[in-house]
């Protein structure tokens, strides 16, 4: 597990499983419908807050394009990097079963896509259904490189609520007047606090309460009597957001790509990295109503953007437009911990026959992980952090150091020196984590490294995350799990008590999510099963390996590490998935560990994935 400095938004936990395959050019047949998208990343000019600047964006849009698919489909996204920086893309909340190479976290599953090159991601949808999102997973480029990922019910199924009349994507984000990469470089150079955003935006627009913004405020046109499904994404850099529509109730019906028991509320609170599906019925008097996205902050430093983004919920019809939209009187204030807690504690999985859950009950691996903002020693105390040190977040007092070879590649190719499997199951010191002042070096100084936690395949894992008040840094900490969904079975304030607090766990219908917040001065416990290897254990696998004549045409010897396989087919030309399988030898194919793929030809192999290794568990700050 690892983490970076405070600058980058939310923590994430990535688990990578280990049925080993030589990663040469081959293709396993996709399932469901197949969709393809082209993402062109380049600098694009946008004018906001009275000034024009160039930002990194996809297809000249902010937010980026919406990806639409159905449950179980396969999506290909070809990313062309025409910008100035290396970048990777992450499909936030998508498990990518047996497909970790395309998950996207920089230096974890791949190195950055360099300027002037392209990379095609293969995205396998499985159990996800609802709203998720995609974003850049490199430095601060996520600020402007992000968009919604909508997964509709599979054919023959429907929503577990009456079908809405229409749907609308709502994306929250941060906007900076300065170049975000320059701000990041300055922060890394100084080692001090990061710069707050200059505004928040709703669907790319700041709204009526910022300079030079009123003319471009986002407007959502609605018809009286219709019900709308709002697909809400919080891509704000590092702040939880309250959201409300003046005089209208909201009904939360889904979050993080799964359904929840409906929650009726006048507002929602959504953390960075979370997505929510919310129903709203246009049943008020014809008019204009403000939609507010307002920050929620519970930290000590009080260093955040204290502004409000607005949009307008605007009724169609024959009436005189008001001089000003109606204001929400129901949105909580910036520091309203009670309203935030009251909303979050209502989360429950739908847990129906059609949308069942499976909470692990017999735990085989337990971890206790502290989440804190600490320090790295700075030579001659020359940095801008406390006592001249460098600010750095830590998990169990460990901060992430980027390797030069991504961790997944180093593990699968058995390349030593790029990570070590020594991430601890508990912090180096047990103390009063939520005390008023915790500034001693043994609490606040972190070690820097690339450390992982090894997990057995199919282990049932419980992790308790403990927030700390080290350096008065307590605030909500969003945590994201890559490759898995998990159940949040409990949370509370204060120090976790391993005797009494487990008695409060919800093992019946806890929310199943991919992102959650560790409360200020509190804790949260999650459970999941480490069951996402490259291939399912025991799966029967068929792979088509297609030779090409690109550059210089030569035969390609291919070897499969850890397995023997049957060569069931081999011919020249392009593989025809309709005709060529009819010629497979399934009676007495050769059993081998190496096969030569002919130039301008193909080979098909089959084997059983029954040689598991161990899982790698990593935590980093994203």
């Amino acid at each position: 597990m690892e983490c970076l400095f405070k600058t980058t938004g939310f923590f994430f936990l990535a688990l990578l499983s280990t049925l080993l395959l030589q990663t040469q050019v081959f293709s396993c047949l996709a399932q469901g419908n197949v969709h393809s998208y082209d993402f062109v990343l380049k600098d694009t000019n946008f004018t906001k807050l009275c000034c024009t600047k160039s930002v990194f964006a996809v297809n000249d849009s902010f937010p980026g394009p919406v990806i639409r698919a159905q449950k179980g489909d396969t999506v290909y996204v070809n990313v062309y990097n025409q910008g100035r920086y290396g970048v990777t893309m992450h499909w936030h909340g998508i498990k990518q079963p047996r497909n970790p190479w395309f998950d996207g976290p920089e230096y974890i599953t791949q190195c950055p896509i360099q300027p002037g090159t392209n990379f095609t991601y293969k995205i396998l949808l499985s159990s996800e259904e609802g709203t998720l999102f995609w974003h850049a997973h490199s430095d601060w480029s996520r600020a402007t490189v992000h968009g919604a990922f909508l997964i509709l019910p599979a054919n023959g199924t429907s929503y577990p609520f009456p079908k809405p009349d229409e749907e609308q994507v709502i994306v929250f984000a941060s906007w900076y007047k300065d170049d975000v990469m320059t701000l990041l470089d300055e922060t890394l150079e100084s080692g001090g606090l990061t710069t707050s955003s200059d505004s928040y935006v709703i669907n790319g627009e700041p709204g009526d309460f910022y300079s030079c913004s009123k003319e471009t405020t986002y407007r959502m046109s609605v018809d009286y009597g219709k019900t709308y499904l709002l697909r809400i994404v919080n891509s704000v850099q590092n702040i939880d957001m309250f959201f409300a529509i003046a005089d209208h109730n909201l009904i939360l019906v889904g979050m993080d790509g799964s359904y929840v028991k409906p929650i009726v509320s006048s507002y929602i609170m959504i953390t960075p990295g979370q997505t929510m599906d919310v129903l709203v019925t246009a049943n008020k008097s014809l008019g204009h109503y403000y939609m507010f996205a307002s920050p929620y902050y519970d930290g000590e430093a009080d260093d955040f953007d204290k502004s409000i983004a607005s949009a307008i919920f605007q009724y169609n019809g024959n009436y005189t437009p008001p001089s000003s939209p109606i204001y929400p009187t129901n949105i909580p204030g910036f520091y309203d911990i009670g309203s935030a807690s009251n909303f979050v504690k209502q989360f429950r999985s739908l847990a129906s026959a059609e949308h069942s859950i499976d909470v692990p009950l017999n735990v085989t691996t337990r971890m206790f992980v502290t989440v804190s903002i600490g320090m790295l020693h700075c030579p001659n105390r020359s940095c801008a952090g406390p006592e001249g040190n460098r600010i750095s977040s830590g998990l169990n007092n460990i901060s992430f150091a980027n390797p030069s070879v991504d961790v997944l590649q180093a593990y699968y190719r058995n390349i030593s020196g790029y990570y070590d499997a020594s991430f601890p199951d508990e912090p180096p010191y047990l103390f009063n984590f939520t005390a008023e002042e915790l500034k001693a070096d043994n609490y606040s100084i972190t070690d820097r490294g690339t450390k992982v936690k090894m997990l057995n395949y199919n282990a049932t894992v419980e992790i308790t995350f403990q927030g700390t008040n080290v350096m008065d840094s307590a605030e909500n900490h969003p945590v994201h799990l890559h490759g898995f969904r998990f159940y949040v079975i409990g949370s509370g304030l204060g120090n976790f008590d391993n005797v009494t607090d487990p008695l409060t766990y919800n093992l019946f219908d806890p929310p199943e999510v991919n992102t959650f917040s560790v409360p200020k001065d509190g804790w949260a416990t999650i459970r999941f099963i480490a069951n996402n290897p490259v291939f399912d254990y025991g799966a029967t696998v068929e792979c088509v390996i297609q030779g090409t004549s690109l550059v210089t045409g030569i035969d390609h010897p291919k070897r499969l590490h850890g397995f023997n396989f049957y060569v069931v087919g081999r011919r020249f030309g392009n593989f025809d998935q309709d005709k060529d399988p009819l010629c497979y030898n399934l009676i007495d194919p050769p059993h081998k560990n190496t096969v030569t793929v002919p130039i301008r030809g193909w080979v098909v192999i089959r084997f059983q994935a029954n040689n598991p290794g161990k899982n790698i568990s990593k935590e980093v700050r994203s």
Side-chain angles (χ1 to χ4, degrees):
M1 294 184 181
E2 314 146 343
C3 64
L4 290 172
F5 37 80
K6 185 182 177 184
T7 58
T8 50
F10 48 87
F11 290 94
F12 76 80
L13 174 64
L15 285 115
L16 312 172
S17 307
T18 63
L19 287 179
L20 184 58
L21 276 180
Q22 183 104 0
T23 56
Q24 305 294 338
V25 180
F26 63 84
S27 173
C28 294
L29 300 182
Q31 301 297 313
N33 296 319
V34 177
H35 311 266
S36 296
Y37 290 83
D38 287 331
F39 278 13
V40 179
L41 271 162
K42 64 179 181 178
D43 291 322
T44 303
N45 286 337
F46 291 91
T47 300
K48 301 185 190 301
L49 308 182
C50 309
C51 62
T52 299
K53 74 165 190 172
S54 179
V55 304
F56 213 22
V58 173
N59 297 355
D60 298 323
S61 61
F62 171 68
V66 176
I67 294 177
R68 290 180 171 85
Q70 287 181 286
K71 182 177 180 179
D73 285 354
T74 298
V75 179
Y76 290 92
V77 180
N78 197 359
V79 177
Y80 299 85
N81 185 2
Q82 298 179 4
R84 294 169 290 158
Y85 310 102
V87 68
T88 62
M89 304 294 287
H90 173 52
W91 321 99
H92 192 100
I94 295 173
K95 293 187 292 186
Q96 290 280 49
R98 307 167 303 280
N99 198 41
W101 305 98
F102 301 104
D103 190 49
E106 186 179 59
Y107 298 113
I108 310 302
T109 63
Q110 70 178 110
C111 290
I113 306 167
Q114 294 302 313
T117 66
N118 70 291
F119 181 83
T120 299
Y121 288 91
K122 179 180 181 180
I123 306 161
L124 301 178
L125 304 180
S126 53
S127 63
E128 305 88 1
E129 185 175 327
T131 303
L132 294 171
F133 82 119
W134 57 266
H135 61 84
H137 210 296
S138 312
D139 301 315
W140 270 19
S141 48
R142 178 172 65 88
T144 52
V145 179
H146 59 254
F149 199 128
L150 311 186
I151 306 171
L152 304 176
N155 290 335
T157 66
S158 61
Y159 300 119
F161 46 82
K163 184 179 180 180
D165 296 290
E166 295 183 30
E167 300 184 359
Q168 179 63 57
V169 173
I170 302 289
V171 179
F172 307 145
S174 304
W175 185 261
Y176 297 81
K177 289 183 179 179
D178 294 322
D179 178 72
V180 294
M181 299 302 283
T182 300
L183 293 175
L184 174 60
D185 290 342
E186 291 173 351
T187 298
L188 293 174
E189 178 69 23
S190 70
L193 292 173
T194 60
T195 302
S196 296
S197 60
D198 294 294
S199 77
Y200 305 107
V201 295
I202 298 176
N203 286 358
E205 300 299 339
D208 285 2
F209 309 115
Y210 298 93
S211 300
C212 307
S213 301
K214 194 165 186 176
E215 295 301 318
T216 59
T217 296
Y218 177 74
R219 294 170 179 265
M220 177 179 168
S221 296
V222 300
D223 293 322
Y224 180 83
K226 287 187 176 181
T227 296
Y228 295 82
L229 175 60
L230 305 182
R231 297 183 175 274
I232 301 175
V233 174
N234 185 4
S235 192
V236 169
Q237 286 293 87
N238 199 33
I239 293 289
D240 300 313
M241 301 297 287
F242 287 119
F243 174 74
I245 302 176
D247 291 356
H248 290 73
N249 274 335
L250 306 175
I251 305 176
L252 178 69
V253 293
M255 60 186 298
D256 282 5
S258 65
Y259 298 113
V260 298
K261 290 182 171 66
I263 299 171
V264 180
S265 178
S266 59
Y267 66 92
I268 65 169
M269 196 282 284
I270 181 169
T271 203
Q274 278 187 336
T275 56
M276 292 186 175
D277 293 313
V278 174
L279 296 174
V280 59
T281 299
N283 56 5
K284 302 301 180 181
S285 300
L286 300 186
H288 295 181
Y289 298 80
Y290 271 128
M291 301 189 288
F292 277 4
S294 176
Y296 162 60
Y297 185 80
D298 63 355
E300 302 292 335
D302 205 32
D303 57 339
F304 68 100
D305 177 0
K306 302 177 183 67
S307 64
I308 297 176
S310 64
I312 298 174
F313 194 76
Q314 178 175 308
Y315 280 76
N316 298 317
N318 186 17
Y319 62 94
T320 302
S323 58
S324 177
I326 297 172
Y327 282 71
T329 59
N330 49 342
I331 193 164
F334 295 163
Y335 309 99
D336 193 338
I337 295 176
S339 292
S341 298
N342 289 338
F343 180 70
V344 171
K345 71 182 182 182
Q346 299 179 71
F347 294 163
R348 297 287 186 275
S349 289
L350 189 58
S352 66
E354 295 80 12
H355 301 280
S356 61
I357 62 173
D358 183 19
V359 183
L361 300 179
N362 299 314
V363 176
T364 61
T365 302
R366 280 188 168 87
M367 300 178 67
F368 183 73
V369 178
T370 53
V371 182
S372 61
I373 304 299
M375 296 184 294
L376 293 170
H377 279 306
C378 196
N380 303 318
R381 296 188 179 275
S382 58
C383 291
E387 302 176 9
N389 289 314
R390 179 181 299 279
I391 291 176
S392 179
S393 66
L395 298 174
N396 283 352
N397 278 38
I398 297 172
S399 291
F400 179 54
N402 281 342
S404 56
V405 172
D406 67 85
V407 173
L408 182 61
Q409 180 179 197
Y411 179 79
Y412 276 72
R413 295 187 177 180
N414 197 27
I415 307 173
S416 62
Y418 294 99
Y419 71 90
D420 64 79
S422 62
F423 185 86
D425 287 345
E426 61 182 31
Y429 306 102
L430 297 176
F431 55 94
N432 182 356
F433 301 109
T434 58
E436 282 299 314
E437 289 192 13
L438 293 169
K439 297 182 180 178
D441 274 5
N442 58 337
Y443 300 149
S444 60
I445 296 298
T446 66
D447 294 324
R448 196 155 188 240
T450 309
K451 298 181 183 293
V452 306
K453 166 69 178 178
M454 307 297 292
L455 296 174
N456 290 328
Y457 174 75
N458 249 355
T460 53
V461 184
E462 178 179 296
I463 305 177
T464 297
F465 292 91
Q466 174 70 58
T468 76
N469 202 27
V470 172
M471 296 171 49
D472 296 328
S473 64
E475 61 178 291
N476 272 13
H477 294 282
V479 176
H480 171 55
L481 181 68
H482 280 232
F484 297 86
R485 304 180 61 78
F486 55 87
Y487 298 98
V488 182
I489 60 174
S491 64
L493 298 179
N495 296 311
F496 177 75
D497 187 311
N498 61 7
V499 176
T500 60
D501 285 328
L503 301 177
T504 68
Y505 286 170
N506 173 14
L507 302 177
F508 177 68
D509 59 356
E512 185 184 12
V513 296
N514 63 63
T515 305
F516 72 104
S517 275
V518 179
K520 165 186 165 64
D521 289 335
W523 57 272
T525 300
I526 69 171
R527 283 187 186 177
F528 60 94
I529 301 175
N531 59 358
N532 186 7
V534 175
F535 291 112
D536 286 332
Y537 179 77
T540 53
V541 182
E542 175 182 299
C543 281
V544 179
I545 309 173
Q546 175 70 58
T548 73
S549 59
L550 295 175
V551 187
T552 58
I554 58 174
D555 290 348
H556 301 279
K558 303 297 177 186
R559 183 165 185 266
L560 187 63
H561 285 241
F563 298 88
N564 286 334
F565 51 84
Y566 294 97
V567 181
V568 299
R570 186 175 186 272
R571 280 194 175 185
F572 291 99
N574 295 317
F575 179 75
D576 187 317
Q577 65 181 19
D578 295 319
K579 297 178 181 178
D580 287 329
L582 301 177
C583 301
Y584 287 173
N585 174 13
L586 302 179
I587 303 298
D588 55 358
H591 196 215
K592 310 180 72 172
N593 60 47
T594 303
V595 65
T596 297
V597 181
I599 176 177
R600 303 183 186 89
W602 53 266
V603 169
V604 177
I605 66 173
R606 286 188 181 181
F607 64 96
Q608 187 173 29
N610 57 5
N611 184 12
K614 293 185 177 180
N615 288 356
I616 301 176
S617 169
K618 289 182 62 52
E619 291 227 3
V620 306
R621 186 89 181 245
S622 161

